[in-house]
Structures are given as C-alpha cells and as structure tokens.
Amino acid sequence: MTADKPLRADARRNRDILIAKAREIFDAGDFFDLRFDDFARLAGVGTGTLYRHFPTREALAEAVYHGEVAALCDRARQLRDTLPAAEALAAFLRGMVDHIAAHEGLARTLATLLADRSGTLAGGGKALEEAVADLVAAAVRDGTVRDDVDPGAVMMALHGVGAAHNRPNWRTEADDVITLVLDGLRRPR
C-alpha cells in the first residue's frame, strides 16, 4: 500500500477491520497459531484484501503498533488539554500501567514480530517519549514538577514496568513504581 493517494472509504474500512482483528488476536496471544491468510477470514475480508493492505505479518504488526502508539499519544494530549499538568502526567503514567496490564499479549506479540525492525519500534518509542516530555514540560511550567529530570528517565521507568510484567506481584509493584516516579518528580516546596 502506498501513502501517495488516500484510500477509498471501503478500502479504509477493510484496512481498519484487519487492524482491529489483528490487534484482538495479538492481544489474546493467538497470533502464532494462525496462518497469515487466516487473518482475512477472521476479519471477514478476502485474502487479496489482506495482501493488498499488508503483504506480510510484519507489515500488519507495524500497523497495529503504530495505531497503539497513536492512541497513547492522543491520550496524553487529551489529558494535557483537560487536566491540571501534574494530574495529567499522573493519569497518563497510571494509565500506561493499566494499558500494559490489559495488553500483555499484544506487547509480547509485537515485540517478537518487530524484533528485527528496531527502527519501527524506535519511532514509536520516540513518539511516546515526546508525549511524556510534553506532559512533564507542562508540569514544570506550572511549577509542580522539578525541572532537572529528563523525560527519558520517566520513559525508562515505564519500560522497566513493562519488562517486569512476569513478576508475581507485578500490578502492585508497578503502581508503587509509578508512585515513586511521581513523588520523585514533585517539586520540593
């Protein structure tokens, strides 16, 4: 698929259906049990439609990944625009823990599929880091967050939370890590 011309409405709808079905399958952790052609059948579209939009599993995984990143970045912007800065940052970080908890299969599937496409993952990571940086910058401007912490450190904490997902008390510990991060970011009075 080329980015040169916009898709017709029916083609866009079919592409969106394929991405939604793939996301559901990835989330369930069933991706590797299916042949690639099965995605078309499960999405209710023809095999030609699948290959026209996504010639490979990796192309479909990239589309799912970019959709996830875009949704998370949109969430960060929405929070920044509707809540006080410190609350927006806290809500986003706690929401990331919720997202990680709810989509463990999706994260594992995407990491496996895109392992040799580090540029794809790096681009999404950069977009998320920019979203976090915007939230941190807003909180610095309003004086609620210290100005000497790099947003990359906040991202590193989120990566650590995600990487430790197999720990027995993960959810409690993840919430505790976010509390530590938020407490550490708070500007002393």
Side-chain angles (χ1 to χ4, degrees), residues 6-21:
L7 293 174
R8 293 183 333 256
D10 61 330
R12 166 63 63 193
R13 186 175 47 256
N14 286 339
R15 184 177 189 282
D16 292 345
I17 289 168
L18 282 162
I19 291 170
K21 180 52 72 176

Side-chain angles (χ1 to χ4, degrees), residues 114-175:
L114 300 176
D116 65 342
R117 294 178 162 209
S118 60
T120 298
L121 295 175
K126 185 176 185 322
L128 277 174
E129 188 163 339
E130 288 172 3
V132 168
D134 288 347
L135 290 169
V136 170
V140 166
R141 280 192 303 275
D142 82 359
T144 55
V145 166
R146 297 172 24 195
D147 63 0
D148 62 342
V149 178
D150 189 287
V154 177
M155 285 301 296
M156 188 177 284
L158 287 174
H159 286 294
V161 165
H165 196 274
N166 292 333
R167 291 179 57 82
N169 296 320
W170 177 83
R171 183 56 198 239
T172 300
E173 292 172 344
D175 289 335

